[in-house]
Amino acid sequence: MKKILNAFLFFTVMSCSPDDATPTTPVDNTPVNKMTATLLKQGVLMGVNHTASGTASIYEDNGNKIVFFDPFMSENGPDLKVYLSKDQKASEYIRLGQLKSTNGSQSYQVPAGTEISHYPFVYIWCEKYSVEFARAELK
Amino acid sequence: MMIGKTVFYIIMLVGHVLTATAQHDNARKNDFVDGTFAFASYQGTLSILYVHNWRIGSSKRLGFGLGARFTSYLGANQYYITAPAELTSESTSPLIFFKENIEANIDSLLIESPQTNSINASINIDYRISPKLTVGFNIDAIGFSFGATKKGNYINGTQGKITEASPTAFNVLLISDNDRGSLNSELYFKYLYTNKWAIKTAAQFLFTEYTTETKVQQFPSPNDRFRNKSLLLAVGISYQLN
């Protein structure tokens, strides 16, 4: 039985396709004008079983809400997404998009109509493998 | 003594008739069992299929059969999409086979470690190209599925939530997305290398389906059924029972 299972796993793994990793070059994405934008919330990004660090902020600028990472760095991984979550388990969340880079400042538009007081956590989340990379509690 | 002889002759006569019938059936029928292993990216199946075939035509090259199949599916990080035809095509007509899916109505359920088991009645059709080579097609028709409840990530555009889902219990083959549950099918070639044993290679097309604990999808109408369609490469062995 063990041999059958090993053979099964071998063939399954052998047929795996390579995953797309996140770009590593800094994106230098700074659409937030800190002179006119209002800082609503901020928190420290910490790696969860992975190396990651930085500051996550939510700004409001001309009625648009933007999540801004600056500074930021993270270990690389496949299918990394940025989530705004209602709780620490990401049991209900909003997807802000694919992580643009593992290095450098970057921003993500929050969908219009989102009540951000309901979403106090920012996540870097490997969606395909359901693995948490980093989290910040915004206050 | 006379009675004993009569009973003996009757037994012999019945035996002869039964044997003759069996020999006749051998020419018109064949039974086999297949064991198949199929794999694709991050997923695989093990299946066991029994088929009772009726050989048709003067040359008996064409076979039509009924049988039963057990399929066990194991995957990793698989996306399941909205299943019901009334959502994917906004119709349940048989003509949806030719209709494009309506993307706006389709949401996803990402399951980290899907595992389903199904037992279905199946249909087989095959053709003997030569005494040693057969091409055929089989498909599950109706049955049931079982398996553990799994955690799933329901994704609807920019929003998502974590939920739980179980394999859809009842399986039935209809037309296109009107299908329900977990159904396996194969287009196969078999090469008979002894009188009893054959090797088999196939393209396996498998539907697996999960039902979420609540109707997580609300637009355009509430839905709890999500389907994964997989094309797998299969290899196996086949044993001729007669």
Side-chain angles (χ1 to χ4, degrees):
Chain A
M1 188 63 187
K2 196 176 175 183
K3 284 182 181 174
I4 292 170
L5 278 174
N6 284 339
F8 182 85
L9 287 171
F10 172 76
F11 280 108
T12 305
V13 171
M14 283 294 285
S15 60
C16 293
S17 57
D19 293 298
D20 292 331
T22 302
T24 55
T25 49
V27 288
D28 195 22
N29 184 349
T30 54
V32 177
N33 182 348
K34 290 184 181 176
M35 299 296 286
T36 57
T38 308
L39 177 64
L40 301 178
K41 289 182 168 191
Q42 196 166 57
V44 177
L45 267 165
M46 289 183 292
V48 181
N49 297 322
H50 294 82
T51 306
S53 63
T55 301
S57 312
I58 297 185
Y59 285 92
E60 184 164 8
D61 191 6
N62 288 327
N64 298 318
K65 295 188 180 74
I66 295 161
V67 169
F68 189 51
F69 294 163
D70 184 33
F72 176 73
M73 67 77 56
S74 170
E75 190 179 329
N76 210 336
D79 197 25
L80 294 182
K81 296 257 186 339
V82 180
Y83 283 7
L84 270 181
S85 168
K86 285 188 172 179
D87 56 32
Q88 288 200 34
K89 296 177 181 173
S91 59
E92 201 167 340
Y93 60 85
I94 290 176
R95 298 156 101 204
L96 302 182
Q98 203 82 27
L99 184 68
K100 293 172 182 172
S101 172
T102 56
N103 284 291
S105 63
Q106 48 202 281
S107 62
Y108 299 87
Q109 189 84 33
V110 178
T114 302
E115 181 49 70
I116 61 163
S117 63
H118 295 165
Y119 297 89
F121 295 92
V122 169
Y123 273 87
I124 309 297
W125 183 268
C126 167
E127 189 169 270
K128 186 169 185 183
Y129 299 99
S130 305
V131 174
E132 185 181 352
F133 266 57
R135 184 198 317 153
E137 185 172 4
L138 303 174
K139 293 176 179 171
Chain B
M1 190 67 180
M2 192 67 181
I3 294 170
K5 270 190 176 178
T6 306
V7 170
F8 175 74
Y9 286 135
I10 289 171
I11 290 170
M12 289 297 289
L13 182 64
V14 170
H16 175 74
V17 169
L18 287 176
T19 308
T21 306
Q23 284 168 350
H24 186 59
D25 283 348
N26 278 345
R28 295 174 55 192
K29 298 174 184 174
N30 72 310
D31 294 67
F32 59 85
V33 176
D34 287 3
T36 306
F37 165 64
F39 57 95
S41 180
Y42 289 92
Q43 54 192 327
T45 67
L46 285 170
S47 58
I48 297 170
L49 169 71
Y50 165 78
V51 171
H52 177 83
N53 247 351
W54 289 270
R55 309 303 312 175
I56 301 166
S58 56
S59 61
K60 305 286 185 277
R61 286 187 167 216
L62 188 63
F64 176 79
L66 297 174
R69 172 160 40 205
F70 169 75
T71 302
S72 183
Y73 168 82
L74 179 63
N77 307 301
Q78 294 296 315
Y79 284 92
Y80 287 69
I81 62 168
T82 301
E86 57 265 33
L87 293 178
T88 62
S89 306
E90 291 187 345
S91 168
T92 54
S93 152
L95 295 175
I96 63 167
F97 192 79
F98 304 102
K99 200 173 173 186
E100 289 289 318
N101 278 351
I102 298 166
E103 295 293 331
N105 294 352
I106 296 176
D107 294 345
S108 302
L109 180 71
L110 173 61
I111 299 185
E112 195 177 344
S113 54
Q115 202 284 315
T116 65
N117 308 289
S118 58
I119 297 173
N120 289 308
S122 62
I123 300 162
N124 178 76
I125 185 164
D126 65 33
Y127 183 79
R128 285 179 181 158
I129 298 169
S130 74
K132 286 193 174 292
L133 190 64
T134 301
V135 60
F137 176 75
N138 59 52
I139 190 164
D140 290 347
I142 191 166
F144 62 92
S145 296
F146 56 95
T149 299
K150 299 285 183 178
K151 191 185 279 189
N153 184 357
Y154 166 69
I155 302 165
N156 169 21
T158 61
Q159 297 187 5
K161 67 188 293 187
I162 304 299
T163 185
E164 290 196 327
S166 304
T168 302
F170 177 60
N171 314 322
V172 63
L173 175 71
L174 296 166
I175 298 283
S176 190
D177 282 351
N178 287 309
D179 292 349
R180 187 184 180 92
S182 298
L183 299 162
N184 196 354
S185 62
E186 292 172 340
L187 177 65
Y188 63 84
F189 285 92
K190 277 184 195 174
Y191 179 76
L192 203 67
Y193 65 93
T194 72
N195 284 340
K196 290 287 186 185
W197 291 96
I199 53 172
K200 168 185 170 186
T201 183
Q204 188 177 85
F205 191 54
L206 179 73
F207 283 11
T208 52
E209 192 180 294
Y210 273 87
T211 301
T212 52
E213 58 179 351
T214 58
K215 290 186 187 293
V216 287
Q217 181 173 357
Q218 290 298 315
F219 177 83
S221 58
N223 171 51
D224 57 4
R225 290 173 45 221
F226 296 85
R227 179 184 295 130
N228 178 266
K229 299 175 183 178
S230 311
L231 180 63
L232 305 102
L233 179 64
V235 289
I237 53 170
S238 182
Y239 182 74
Q240 307 297 312
L241 297 170
N242 56 38

